[in-house]
Amino acid sequence: MSGFPSSLDNLIDRFASLPGVGRKSAQRLAFHVLSLPDEEAFAFADAISEAKRSIHRCPVCQNLTDDEQCAICTSAKRDQSTICVVAQPRDVLSFERSREYNGVYHVLHGVLSPMNHVGPDDICIKELVARVSAGGVSEVIMATNPDTEGDTTAMYLSRLLKPFEVKVTRLAYGIPVGSNLEFTDEATLTRALSGRIEM
Amino acid sequence: MSGFPSSLDNLIDRFASLPGVGRKSAQRLAFHVLSLPDEEAFAFADAISEAKRSIHRCPVCQNLTDDEQCAICTSAKRDQSTICVVAQPRDVLSFERSREYNGVYHVLHGVLSPMNHVGPDDICIKELVARVSAGGVSEVIMATNPDTEGDTTAMYLSRLLKPFEVKVTRLAYGIPVGSNLEFTDEATLTRALSGRIEM
């Protein structure tokens, strides 16, 4: 018993269930929402319901969309023969911000992780294989994170796609632009060395 | 343009408007909500609407309640002649957790702050004066935070309540229990010295 009304307790619980939000922060957020004008608080509630109701996965690339297919898959300006494979919808955002990539995406919604009981059937791998086997794809770029699980997933997928004779590439990993050799960790340096290119 | 569906953008905007939540965190929270099962996501939305709809201020102490009056003001076990004045509803929670205080509260919903244009009419001061002037109150404990604004508010209130010949006290401020003199700042030490009591 916190001494708060139960509906406030319930709201605090909801906020506390969000990732990275502790009990104290949840309280602060709940009090903030209560202090909002009525229409803004209700708009917040509606934003949650509305997003949940309208957003689903694009049947082609599995990215989130509120249309039948996502804007990237239906765009005539995008190169449909190059597929960039990412783990999460937010990774698509990172690429789009760079404005350098003109192909399409495939969102796995996770990476292989035996530790967390995530196997090939738990992420959108069969959808990727179906896209590649349907033909018209010249290159698949593996853009999962450069960590153990991301690397494993990329390796697994590249073997899976081998029979289709499609070019499978992996993002270059090395020293970040603007960074400093002194503060670059050994793993990154090793990657930068092994991935060195001729000048 | 983020490349996300507009309802997702809207949800991210809502989360980003919360205090202490940046753009990246807002994205993470929005994706988390989308990944919840339908019933949990809608329950979150309902928790906001429901809290906003049902919670209002107790007409006596101004604390948040979903009843006509709050549970503390209506409790026969609480000493109605001692009023502890706090800035925020969450401060009531802190006192209740200590299980040491048996009086009632008065929540100001803010402190005097000329810098932020908060004057005596912007916080629940006239409600406190009305309670005290109605009689039956023997002591008013000022429990605003020990900072400039909290001190100013306590000082202002104590002068305002002088005509009613009620005992006005202030919480003792000093070295926290379990703390260490070495790491106690000068302001706290000064307070601890000036507030010393005979053994």
Side-chain angles (χ1 to χ4, degrees):
Chain A
M1 268 311 297
S2 69
F4 285 135
S6 60
S7 55
L8 178 52
D9 268 339
N10 182 25
L11 184 58
I12 295 173
D13 286 344
R14 292 284 164 191
F15 273 118
S17 74
L18 296 176
V21 179
R23 200 78 205 159
K24 283 267 172 191
S25 305
Q27 259 181 40
R28 202 160 41 102
L29 295 179
F31 279 121
H32 175 82
V33 169
L34 283 183
S35 74
L36 291 175
D38 271 12
E39 61 275 17
E40 273 188 52
F42 294 137
F44 197 150
D46 288 345
I48 294 176
S49 316
E50 181 52 29
K52 190 68 194 168
R53 237 188 301 267
S54 69
I55 291 176
H56 55 94
R57 293 182 184 180
C58 167
V60 180
C61 72
Q62 310 297 323
N63 194 6
L64 300 174
T65 180
D66 52 4
D67 259 330
E68 206 175 320
Q69 283 190 16
C70 80
I72 294 173
C73 285
T74 51
S75 166
K77 288 184 189 154
R78 311 289 298 224
D79 170 13
Q80 303 283 337
S81 71
T82 308
I83 299 177
C84 179
V85 178
V86 296
Q88 300 293 349
R90 57 176 172 267
D91 300 329
V92 172
L93 191 68
S94 302
F95 275 100
E96 290 299 292
R97 262 200 305 257
S98 79
R99 295 166 191 271
E100 272 301 314
Y101 181 66
N102 195 39
V104 293
Y105 297 92
H106 188 87
V107 182
L108 295 172
H109 289 279
V111 281
L112 296 177
S113 170
M115 292 276 286
N116 299 315
H117 308 288
V118 180
D121 293 337
D122 301 315
I123 60 179
C124 302
I125 288 182
K126 60 179 182 300
E127 290 86 350
L128 175 64
V129 175
R131 279 177 85 178
V132 175
S133 70
V137 177
S138 60
E139 181 175 359
V140 177
I141 305 169
M142 296 296 161
T144 49
N145 282 327
D147 50 24
T148 317
E149 296 176 343
D151 283 343
T152 310
T153 309
M155 189 67 76
Y156 177 88
L157 285 176
S158 71
R159 284 185 192 162
L160 208 62
L161 296 178
K162 199 145 245 166
F164 302 106
E165 288 178 1
V166 64
K167 188 167 147 197
V168 178
T169 54
R170 180 103 173 93
L171 281 193
Y173 293 111
I175 306 153
V177 176
S179 178
N180 195 314
L181 269 183
E182 190 180 348
F183 303 116
T184 307
D185 63 288
E186 299 80 15
T188 304
L189 260 189
T190 309
R191 290 267 201 152
L193 255 182
S194 70
R196 68 189 181 276
I197 50 170
E198 211 167 325
M199 295 180 67
Chain B
M1 268 309 297
S2 70
F4 285 134
S6 60
S7 55
L8 178 52
D9 269 339
N10 182 25
L11 183 58
I12 295 173
D13 286 345
R14 292 284 162 190
F15 274 118
S17 75
L18 296 175
V21 178
R23 200 76 205 163
K24 283 266 174 194
S25 306
Q27 259 182 40
R28 202 160 41 103
L29 296 178
F31 279 120
H32 175 82
V33 169
L34 283 184
S35 74
L36 291 175
D38 271 13
E39 61 275 17
E40 275 189 53
F42 294 136
F44 196 152
D46 289 344
I48 293 177
S49 316
E50 181 53 30
K52 190 68 196 171
R53 238 188 302 269
S54 68
I55 292 176
H56 54 95
R57 294 183 182 180
C58 167
V60 181
C61 72
Q62 310 297 323
N63 195 4
L64 299 174
T65 180
D66 52 4
D67 259 331
E68 205 175 323
Q69 282 190 17
C70 81
I72 295 173
C73 284
T74 50
S75 166
K77 288 182 187 155
R78 310 289 297 224
D79 169 14
Q80 303 283 338
S81 71
T82 308
I83 300 178
C84 178
V85 178
V86 296
Q88 300 293 347
R90 57 177 172 268
D91 300 330
V92 172
L93 190 68
S94 302
F95 276 99
E96 289 300 290
R97 262 200 305 258
S98 79
R99 294 165 192 275
E100 271 301 314
Y101 181 67
N102 195 38
V104 291
Y105 297 93
H106 188 87
V107 182
L108 295 173
H109 291 280
V111 282
L112 295 178
S113 171
M115 292 275 286
N116 299 314
H117 308 288
V118 181
D121 293 336
D122 302 316
I123 61 179
C124 302
I125 288 182
K126 59 181 182 300
E127 292 85 349
L128 174 65
V129 175
R131 280 176 85 178
V132 175
S133 70
V137 178
S138 61
E139 181 177 358
V140 178
I141 305 170
M142 295 296 161
T144 50
N145 282 328
D147 50 24
T148 317
E149 296 175 346
D151 283 343
T152 309
T153 309
M155 189 66 74
Y156 178 87
L157 286 176
S158 72
R159 285 188 192 159
L160 208 62
L161 297 176
K162 200 143 243 167
F164 302 104
E165 287 177 4
V166 63
K167 188 168 147 196
V168 178
T169 55
R170 180 99 173 96
L171 282 193
Y173 293 110
I175 306 152
V177 176
S179 176
N180 196 314
L181 268 185
E182 191 181 347
F183 302 116
T184 307
D185 63 288
E186 298 80 15
T188 304
L189 260 188
T190 308
R191 291 267 201 150
L193 255 181
S194 69
R196 67 191 183 276
I197 51 170
E198 211 166 328
M199 294 182 67

